[in-house]
Amino acid sequence: MKLLVCISKTPDTTSKIAFTEGNTKFDENGVQWIINPYDEWYALVRAIEMKEQDPAVTIHLVTVGEADAEPIIRKALALGGDEAIRINIQSNDSFVVASQIAAIAKEGAYDLILTGKETIDYNSACIGSMLSGLLDMPFVSLANHMVLNGNTATVKREIEGGEETCEVVLPAIVSCQKGMAEQRIPNMRGIMAARTKPLKVVEPIAVQATTSIKTYDLPPAKSGVKLVAADNVEELVRLLKEEAKAF
Amino acid sequence: MVLIYIDQADQQIKKSSLEAISYGAALAKQLGVTAEGILLGTVTDDLASLGKYGLQKLHQVADASLNHFDAKVFTQVLTEAAKAANASVLVFAHNLNGKAIAPAVAVKLHAGIVTGANSLPDTSNGFTVTKTVFSGKAFAQINIDTPIKVISINQNCFGVHLQEGACALEALSIAIPAASTKVTTTHKVEGEIPLTEANLVVSGGRGLKGPENWGIIEDLAKVLGAATACSRPVSDSDWRPHHEHVGQTGVQVAPNLYIAVGISGAIQHLAGVNRSKTIVVINKDPEAPFFKAADYGIVGDAFEVLPALTAAIQKSKA
Ligand SMILES: Cc1cc2nc3c(=O)[nH]c(=O)nc-3n(C[C@H](O)[C@H](O)[C@H](O)COP(=O)(O)OP(=O)(O)OC[C@H]3O[C@@H](n4cnc5c(N)ncnc54)[C@H](O)[C@@H]3O)c2cc1C
């Protein structure tokens, strides 16, 4: 059983979000980089759990990014992947990123490809779906539970107001979210082992970007809170109805 | 032509799709083309009345096997439909199914895609779509540089707009590929309003002390007709189910009204809720950071304020 886990580098959740060069570039000054939480907490940890249950599972990690993505991929290896592939290109275009991963996926003939439900920086939620289009594979999105049974995965997927359980025959792609696994902290042994795990760097395939970012903006600041006394909730109801027209 | 994907569950068109129709109709008008819809499966709604949201024509693949969502099958059928209809722009709701298929359809059509759009594109010079990035902490303006374009719109960003008009119906026959997934069970929480579809949300944090105290949140939600939500530690401690967790690593919501009770307002929480039109914060600590992101606030004890607020709303509705 071969698993491919897609790993993305994102700014830490407490990072100050600012832009430079006339609001055309994300300001990386002072930003701490982390593994995208959905990739780490859910996709990767679930893959590791599967390997713990079945030693015949191998886990490959893939990231699309330049050399500055290496600390992130080493951290992912410290948590538990077997080897990693870095595709040496930085792109904000989901199609370019997905095409790179698809090329690796085709070559590696993986049984299961896992992604996080989205990245916390661009929030595009595109990669898993695009991979299914590029590879013509079944895709189960927003999964919060998954067990393998031979070459079938039983997956719980979020639907509006609930969840459904479905069976999918591998190979397949699954995007992972909360519920799938519990966050882990890498231990010293893992960190030491990660230093010598293979990290292969491959050059990107040529693909044309389909989108380009023009500018960024920050949301307008709130004009300030109107406080209402705790013993005057009727006034809050009046404001919400008449001023905010909230209900 | 603008082609709008109309998403259904349990043979009912989703509210997020009505918003997508309104958005697609406005975009079609802006581009001087027609607004048409594509519906997979069969629904109980009156389809001709979709004209009142601005839809001019509806293509329907009325095969009951499509009443179950299957990402791979839907991608293939939609791709065929978009080609047959010669669509130049496809519009999806950025809801659970839209997230699953819009990017795959874009790939199949060699189209660029922007997911999570917030407003109509600027088509004065190219095709520029504004979307939220950094989990709501910023916006990006993104050009789609391909001849065919795909947009999925954030829920509650555009609204449902009614107008005069009738919708023509056209049956579409497309070979349906074999299912790639088999749904074995479906579990829905009865009577609960889905968080992502909700106009009003009442959310509770650690300040409520324990799951046994959620009655006051539920009572308030009930009089308002609101969905309930919570902060991350609340769902991590299993006080509430995971699907209620809002924030940067949970659900991102943008309702008309978000009432936060006993939530401090950490940056990761705010990221998921700061697109709400009106934010009310109830917290006993006047220094809670959430007040800086709020429109209205009450400094007070939730256990006293909430029952009073619920009663006052009930009275105002009577
Ligand atoms: C990587 C990462 C991702 C994260 N993602 C998310 C996320 O997606 N969503 C999220 O919510 N958090 C997230 N967090 C956690 C976040 O940092 C905060 O810890 C969390 O939001 C705090 O939850 P809380 O406000 O319920 O609890 P607390 O911070 O403990 O706040 C409780 C509040 O209740 C008030 N209170 C206490 N008693 C009462 C009373 N009787 N009446 C009224 N008010 C009272 C207190 O004054 C306090 O402000 C994330 C953290 C990290 C590191």
Side-chain angles (χ1 to χ4, degrees):
Chain A
M1 178 73 56
K2 280 183 80 178
L3 269 52
L4 182 67
V5 182
C6 304
I7 299 288
S8 175
K9 145 180 167 277
T10 57
D12 179 86
T13 54
T14 55
S15 301
K16 183 174 181 300
I17 303 302
F19 303 98
T20 57
E21 298 180 24
N23 278 346
T24 59
K25 230 179 140 258
F26 174 58
D27 186 357
E28 299 190 358
N29 228 325
V31 167
Q32 288 256 23
W33 297 94
I34 58 169
I35 307 173
N36 179 44
Y38 293 109
D39 304 348
E40 177 188 334
W41 302 349
Y42 309 124
L44 177 58
V45 175
R46 186 68 195 117
I48 294 166
E49 288 172 355
M50 287 174 167
K51 189 182 166 76
E52 286 165 353
Q53 282 160 10
D54 177 2
V57 168
T58 50
I59 303 172
H60 288 184
L61 312 178
V62 62
T63 194
V64 178
E66 291 174 342
D68 60 355
E70 293 206 353
I72 292 309
I73 199 94
R74 284 278 175 218
K75 186 183 167 204
L77 284 170
L79 279 160
D82 293 302
E83 56 180 84
I85 303 154
R86 176 173 71 80
I87 308 165
N88 192 24
I89 180 176
Q90 169 61 41
S91 174
N92 283 332
D93 183 64
S94 302
F95 177 67
V96 170
V97 173
S99 300
Q100 305 302 332
I101 298 172
I104 294 296
K106 270 184 201 152
E107 218 170 278
Y110 295 96
D111 300 292
L112 186 59
I113 302 175
L114 301 180
T115 71
K117 80 159 186 177
E118 64 187 53
T119 58
I120 62 166
D121 50 6
Y122 288 93
N123 307 107
S124 289
C126 275
I127 300 302
S129 176
M130 283 188 169
L131 286 174
S132 78
L134 290 165
L135 299 166
D136 269 322
M137 269 191 205
F139 175 46
V140 183
S141 61
L142 301 166
N144 57 32
H145 185 83
M146 171 173 56
V147 288
L148 288 183
N149 194 344
N151 73 336
T152 304
T154 302
V155 188
K156 277 191 189 149
R157 146 180 202 270
E158 183 185 355
I159 57 174
E160 274 91 2
E163 59 186 28
E164 66 184 19
T165 306
C166 66
E167 288 173 359
V168 59
V169 176
L170 306 183
I173 301 158
V174 176
S175 78
C176 306
Q177 64 166 337
K178 193 164 189 179
M180 187 61 112
E182 296 284 336
Q183 184 181 0
R184 289 188 182 186
I185 311 286
N187 58 29
M188 208 52 209
R189 223 175 83 219
I191 294 166
M192 297 303 286
R195 292 192 185 155
T196 53
K197 285 182 183 172
L199 195 171
K200 191 163 88 182
V201 180
V202 300
E203 288 307 313
I205 58 167
V207 270
Q208 180 89 40
T210 54
T211 59
S212 46
I213 295 181
K214 262 175 69 172
T215 54
Y216 294 95
D217 306 292
L218 292 171
K222 287 266 181 191
S223 54
V225 60
K226 242 185 215 177
L227 288 179
V228 176
D231 57 4
N232 194 5
V233 289
E234 289 76 16
E235 172 64 2
L236 178 63
V237 176
R238 190 192 66 78
L239 287 167
L240 289 178
K241 275 192 138 172
E242 291 170 17
E243 194 176 77
K245 304 205 178 351
F247 58 88
Chain B
M1 183 260 281
V2 173
L3 186 65
I4 302 135
Y5 168 64
I6 298 172
D7 196 27
Q8 59 132 321
D10 304 326
Q11 298 193 267
Q12 282 179 342
I13 294 175
K14 291 182 193 166
K15 192 190 106 198
S16 50
S17 287
L18 301 180
E19 184 178 27
I21 295 174
S22 289
Y23 178 98
L27 175 56
K29 202 163 167 199
Q30 181 177 323
L31 296 170
V33 299
T34 56
E36 303 184 14
I38 172 78
L39 170 67
L40 307 189
T42 54
V43 295
T44 52
D45 305 73
D46 171 20
L47 294 176
S49 75
L50 291 177
K52 68 173 186 267
Y53 306 104
L55 201 65
Q56 288 157 287
K57 191 195 244 183
L58 176 72
H59 306 265
Q60 183 182 17
V61 187
D63 188 309
S65 72
L66 295 172
N67 291 343
H68 262 311
F69 180 78
D70 180 312
K72 189 177 171 202
V73 170
F74 275 44
T75 296
Q76 290 183 19
V77 174
L78 281 180
T79 303
E80 290 309 313
K83 282 183 184 161
N86 212 3
S88 53
V89 183
L90 275 80
V91 174
F92 292 78
H94 192 50
N95 63 6
L96 304 172
N97 289 347
K99 287 177 187 174
I101 53 177
V105 171
V107 162
K108 295 274 185 204
L109 295 172
H110 306 288
I113 179 170
V114 172
T115 56
N118 268 328
S119 52
L120 286 170
D122 177 356
T123 51
S124 58
N125 176 21
F127 196 99
T128 310
V129 188
T130 301
K131 79 167 269 160
T132 40
V133 289
F134 298 100
S135 306
K137 292 177 198 164
F139 298 102
Q141 292 185 27
I142 303 180
N143 278 337
I144 303 185
D145 302 320
T146 49
I148 302 178
K149 283 122 179 129
V150 180
I151 306 175
S152 70
I153 63 156
N154 269 333
Q155 286 172 256
N156 284 332
C157 74
F158 191 76
V160 174
H161 304 280
L162 295 180
Q163 49 182 272
E164 292 289 318
C167 174
L169 304 180
E170 196 170 287
L172 188 61
S173 155
I174 290 176
I176 298 162
S180 73
T181 56
K182 190 174 111 202
V183 175
T184 52
T185 56
T186 302
H187 171 75
K188 283 210 179 188
V189 187
E190 281 308 317
E192 198 176 277
I193 298 164
L195 188 52
T196 48
E197 301 241 325
N199 270 329
L200 309 168
V201 175
V202 181
S203 188
R206 209 147 51 178
L208 285 157
K209 313 271 188 295
E212 66 281 6
N213 296 328
W214 240 260
I216 52 172
I217 296 279
E218 280 165 351
D219 289 346
L220 176 57
K222 205 159 162 206
V223 292
L224 281 169
T228 51
C230 67
S231 66
R232 180 178 165 212
V234 165
S235 74
D236 278 356
S237 321
D238 285 329
W239 294 1
R240 300 296 292 176
H242 287 326
H243 66 256
E244 286 198 359
H245 159 193
V246 293
Q248 187 158 11
T249 53
V251 182
Q252 274 128 46
V253 295
N256 271 337
L257 175 64
Y258 183 81
I259 304 182
V261 186
I263 303 177
S264 57
I267 186 166
Q268 297 97 348
H269 186 86
L270 296 181
V273 305
N274 61 9
R275 286 187 300 111
S276 308
K277 291 207 178 68
T278 300
I279 295 181
V280 175
V281 168
I282 298 167
N283 195 305
K284 69 173 186 191
D285 174 10
E287 302 296 324
F290 218 147
F291 284 115
K292 291 204 177 68
D295 299 285
Y296 302 100
I298 291 184
V299 179
D301 186 335
F303 296 100
E304 287 159 21
V305 174
L306 243 55
L309 182 59
T310 303
I313 290 171
Q314 196 146 35
K315 212 168 109 201
S316 83
K317 287 196 161 185

